[in-house]
Amino acid sequence: VIDVKEKYRIKTPYLAICVANYFFLKGQDFVIRAFNKLKRNDITLVFIGQQKNNHYYNIINWLARDNKRILFLENIPREETVDFLKATDFFLFGSRLECSPLVMFESFAAQTLFITRNVGNVLDFNQYLALVDSPRSMKNALEKAITNPKPYQKKTSQAYQAYLNHHTY
């Protein structure tokens, strides 16, 4: 197990991640717009992706240009991605199109709060996650989860149990 916070010099107490290839339909721009609205210095956002559309990648880097708490990673080993999942507090998902997002189940397995747009089948798991419809509502959900973690800890515990009972492979 790698201490990813140490390896990538992440000093903030809170960590949010978004694991998705860098393409428009994956909605990193939505997540960045939400994160840029958050006026806190105690959380870092890490994007992890394997493939990218260079034009879109340039756009999201431009959107994040003034926020030193946003980090983009590419082609890191799968083991490191899993280490990030274990170390993170929040999984922010801005995807525009999905069927059944596998990262949702990875988030449940890692007991990490999944904050997502209504995409694919996420409504089937509404009791285990935080559902948002705009960058502002994603920012608000993240803020609430930091300032009042108890209801969200209950969701992540229930999500983990649902994962163990129904979604292990």
Side-chain angles (χ1 to χ4, degrees):
V1 175
I2 297 169
D3 184 342
V4 291
K5 287 181 88 170
E6 183 177 312
K7 178 177 180 176
Y8 292 98
R9 296 180 182 91
I10 297 168
K11 305 284 189 219
T12 57
Y14 298 106
L15 177 61
I17 63 169
C18 178
V19 179
N21 290 323
Y22 298 107
F23 295 104
F24 174 75
L25 290 177
K26 293 299 182 180
Q28 287 94 343
D29 58 295
F30 182 97
V31 173
I32 292 167
R33 288 194 321 260
F35 197 78
N36 282 343
K37 293 178 185 315
L38 193 66
K39 301 302 179 207
R40 302 181 69 103
N41 291 320
D42 58 353
I43 184 168
T44 298
L45 172 60
V46 176
F47 288 97
I48 300 171
Q50 299 296 89
Q51 301 171 0
K52 67 182 178 185
N53 169 292
N54 286 326
H55 179 68
Y56 182 68
Y57 191 72
N58 290 338
I59 290 170
I60 60 175
N61 271 274
W62 183 83
L63 288 172
R65 73 193 180 285
D66 294 328
N67 197 328
K68 301 298 181 230
R69 295 174 294 114
I70 298 176
L71 177 65
F72 294 94
L73 301 177
E74 292 180 71
N75 302 315
I76 66 171
R78 172 70 184 152
E79 298 78 29
E80 254 183 65
T81 300
V82 171
D83 291 337
F84 265 106
L85 280 160
K86 291 176 182 174
T88 197
D89 302 289
F90 311 100
F91 194 118
L92 306 181
F93 197 57
S95 188
R96 291 176 169 88
L97 181 67
E98 294 290 330
C99 180
S100 180
L102 292 179
V103 291
M104 176 175 64
F105 300 105
E106 290 187 314
S107 181
F108 293 171
Q111 299 184 64
T112 299
L113 181 62
F114 195 68
I115 303 174
T116 182
R117 295 170 86 168
N118 182 5
V119 63
N121 68 338
V122 300
L123 276 182
D124 295 342
F125 302 93
N126 191 37
Q127 70 270 33
Y128 307 128
L129 48 81
L131 196 61
V132 300
D133 62 3
S134 68
R136 179 165 305 286
S137 67
M138 181 174 272
K139 184 275 290 185
N140 290 343
L142 189 54
E143 185 76 47
K144 283 180 193 172
I146 292 170
T147 58
N148 186 17
K150 285 216 185 309
Y152 298 98
Q153 290 167 345
K154 184 178 179 186
K155 281 182 182 262
T156 57
S157 294
Q158 291 172 337
Y160 179 65
Q161 199 56 53
Y163 162 77
L164 289 177
N165 293 342
H166 307 292
H167 302 287
T168 57
Y169 301 108

